[in-house]
Every structure is written in structure tokens, then in C-alpha cells.
């Protein structure tokens, strides 16, 4: 699934939200310098934000299609998983990962990040947490049950907040267990965005459970979700929380 997102890189970059400016600024301020390694950089969404904040950014991503898109936007990218990436002896002031660290080995990842960070360098792992209105979420779950009944997404009963709390707790545990960082901190940024029906249906195919669906099955799922949004008046406001786990190299 990690390498399925590049199937439509243009849609991914268009539909996926960027990160709060406050998050980017806080990471830059906490880093000892401006050299940033972006792990799982995808199409370059957060990489461009760090570049625009004055950083020098190198991306690493396993999907050549995503890397090509990021390069077209002016980001240098090397194609590899983080675990297999050749550091070439290079070091950085910050290692960041947006919506990507859950694909990285929980033992190898923190150790490798520590190995490329300069003294006092920062490891910053972040992701968006969101829960659409109940009617929209229920329509998506029903779509999964129709077309992917054996998928874990079809039977998931936990809220997004619960899922991400478990995930970020694991991130923090992995950082601690490496023995290479100070005690990790949790940061939280809240914001919201209004979505039209078309905007949400543009976003959904970029999510992990739907990227590999056959066109007919995807159309079936989107039709159900679209009908639910129509019943809400054709749009809704989505509250977002952007979570981060951040730790300085000891």
C-alpha cells in the first residue's frame, strides 16, 4: 500500500492538505540549522513548505512517480525506502516525516535518523487527524463493506483520534527505545477546512484504502459518499488536528 499512492500523483498533490504554518515555523525554530531531510516526501507537499520557510530540503521516497512530481516542483528527491537509503555520509539539522513514519521500521527508523542528524538535530514526525461527519463516515464504511468486505477499513470501529493516539504513542516509544534522543514531546495544532462534495471525492481516492481499487469499485464507493454529502447540502466543515512527535538528538 505504501507504494500505491503514486498511481495519481497529480491528484494526491492537489487534494491532500498542507501543514499548519505554525508547525513548520516551530520545527525550523527548534532545529540547529536549515538542512532538512524529508522522509517519505511524496509529491513534496511539506518539502515545499520547508523550502519556502528558508530550508534546504532533500526528500527520500520509495515511489519514483511521486519523486518525479516533487522534482518538478523544485525538490531534490532520492528514490529509496528510508531503511535502504544511502546516506553517503551526509548530515542534517532536522529529519521530518509527514503522513509517512508509519511505513518506516520502528526500530531502524529512529536509529537511522539519529545517525544522519547533527548534534542537537531534530526528529519531527507529524500527521493530520480528522473525522468527517457521521453520515459521510458511515457512507464510506458501507462502501468498504460492499467492495472490500475483508479490508480492515470495513470493520474499523475506533475513531481517528484513537487510531492516531496509538500510532503516535508507538512513534514516541520507538524514539525512546533507540536511546539516541531526549524525551519526545507531543505537539498539537487545530484548524478546519470546508469541503465541497467534489473536493472530498477528489481527496478520498488518495487515501490508503482506496488507492488500489478498480475503477468500478471506486466509483461505487464515491457515489455513496457523494450522496451523503448531498444530503448535508453539498458541503461540510472538517475539523483537523495536526499531531507531531518531536525529539532532539541527545
Amino acid at each position: 500500500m505504501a507504494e500505491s499512492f503514486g498511481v495519481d500523483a497529480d491528484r494526491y498533490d492537489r487534494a491532500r492538505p498542507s501543514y499548519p504554518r505554525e508547525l513548520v515555523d516551530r520545527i525550523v525554530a527548534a532545529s540547529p540549522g536549515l538542512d532538512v531531510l524529508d522522509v517519505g516526501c511524496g509529491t513534496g507537499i511539506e518539502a515545499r513548505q520547508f523550502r519556502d520557510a528558508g530550508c534546504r530540503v532533500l526528500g527520500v521516497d520509495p515511489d519514483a512517480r511521486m519523486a518525479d512530481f516533487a522534482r518538478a516542483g523544485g525538490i531534490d528527491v532520492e528514490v529509496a525506502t528510508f531503511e535502504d537509503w544511502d546516506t553517503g555520509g551526509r548530515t542534517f539539522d532536522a529529519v521530518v516525516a509527514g503522513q509517512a513514519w508509519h511505513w518506516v521500521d520502528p526500530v531502524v527508523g529512529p536509529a537511522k535518523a539519529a545517525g544522519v542528524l547533527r548534534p542537537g538535530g531534530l526528529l519531527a514526525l507529524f500527521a493530520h487527524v480528522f473525522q468527517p461527519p457521521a453520515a459521510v463516515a458511515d457512507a464510506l464504511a458501507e462502501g468498504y463493506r460492499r467492495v472490500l468486505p475483508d479490508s480492515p477499513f470495513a470493520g474499523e470501529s475506533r475513531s481517528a483520534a484513537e487510531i492516531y493516539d496509538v500510532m503516535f504513542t508507538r512513534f514516541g516509544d520507538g524514539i525512546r527505545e533507540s536511546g539516541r534522543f531526549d524525551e519526545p514531546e507531543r505537539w498539537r495544532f487545530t484548524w478546519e477546512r470546508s469541503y465541497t462534495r467534489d473536493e472530498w471525492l477528489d481527496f478520498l481516492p488518495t487515501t490508503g484504502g482506496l488507492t488500489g481499487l478498480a475503477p468500478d469499485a471506486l466509483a461505487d464507493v464515491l457515489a455513496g459518499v457523494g450522496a451523503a454529502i448531498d444530503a448535508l447540502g453539498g458541503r461540510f466543515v472538517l475539523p483537523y488536528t495536526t499531531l507531531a512527535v518531536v525529539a532532539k538528538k541527545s
Side-chain angles (χ1 to χ4, degrees):
M1 188 184 294
E3 296 182 14
S4 70
F5 297 103
V7 67
D8 191 345
D10 184 72
R11 180 200 293 267
Y12 187 100
D13 195 76
R14 176 181 69 240
R16 287 279 183 129
S18 58
Y19 294 89
R21 177 61 186 268
E22 295 85 353
L23 168 67
V24 174
D25 288 346
R26 191 169 175 184
I27 290 171
V28 173
S31 301
L34 297 175
D35 291 323
V36 173
L37 178 68
D38 185 2
V39 175
C41 70
T43 59
I45 293 172
E46 69 267 13
R48 295 191 300 269
Q49 290 185 261
F50 281 98
R51 180 195 62 193
D52 293 346
C55 296
R56 296 172 291 273
V57 184
L58 174 66
V60 176
D61 198 276
D63 193 316
R65 299 163 297 183
M66 301 288 261
D68 284 344
F69 192 102
R71 291 187 191 112
I75 302 299
D76 290 333
V77 185
E78 298 180 7
V79 178
T81 64
F82 184 51
E83 295 90 333
D84 294 336
W85 172 65
D86 182 2
T87 68
R90 290 166 291 183
T91 59
F92 300 84
D93 298 301
V95 173
V96 304
Q99 303 286 152
W101 197 253
H102 55 292
W103 302 116
V104 175
D105 184 283
V107 175
V108 175
K112 188 153 189 174
V116 300
L117 281 170
R118 294 166 186 157
L122 198 71
L123 175 61
L125 318 174
F126 45 88
H128 300 307
V129 184
F130 55 88
Q131 190 83 30
V136 178
D138 290 346
L140 178 59
E142 176 58 31
Y144 275 123
R145 287 190 288 270
R146 283 196 307 274
V147 305
L148 286 173
D150 297 327
S151 166
F153 297 100
E156 181 57 69
S157 60
R158 295 173 297 172
S159 69
E162 291 172 315
I163 293 169
Y164 275 85
D165 182 64
V166 170
M167 184 185 300
F168 274 74
T169 296
R170 289 175 179 163
F171 293 169
D173 289 344
I175 292 169
R176 289 186 192 92
E177 290 166 11
S178 75
R180 306 287 298 277
F181 292 90
D182 295 343
E183 177 64 17
E185 300 178 11
R186 281 262 195 120
W187 297 351
R188 178 184 299 266
F189 305 85
T190 57
W191 52 286
E192 62 182 30
R193 174 175 169 176
S194 176
Y195 281 93
T196 64
R197 177 187 189 276
D198 288 347
E199 287 169 341
W200 189 247
L201 298 189
D202 195 34
F203 166 77
L204 278 183
T206 74
T207 60
L210 299 181
T211 53
L213 276 187
D216 288 349
L218 178 61
D220 180 299
V221 173
L222 296 184
V225 175
I229 299 172
D230 287 340
L232 296 176
R235 66 187 311 125
F236 62 91
V237 174
L238 184 64
Y240 274 96
T241 299
T242 301
L243 292 179
V245 171
V246 180
K248 283 202 170 190
K249 181 179 175 180
S250 299

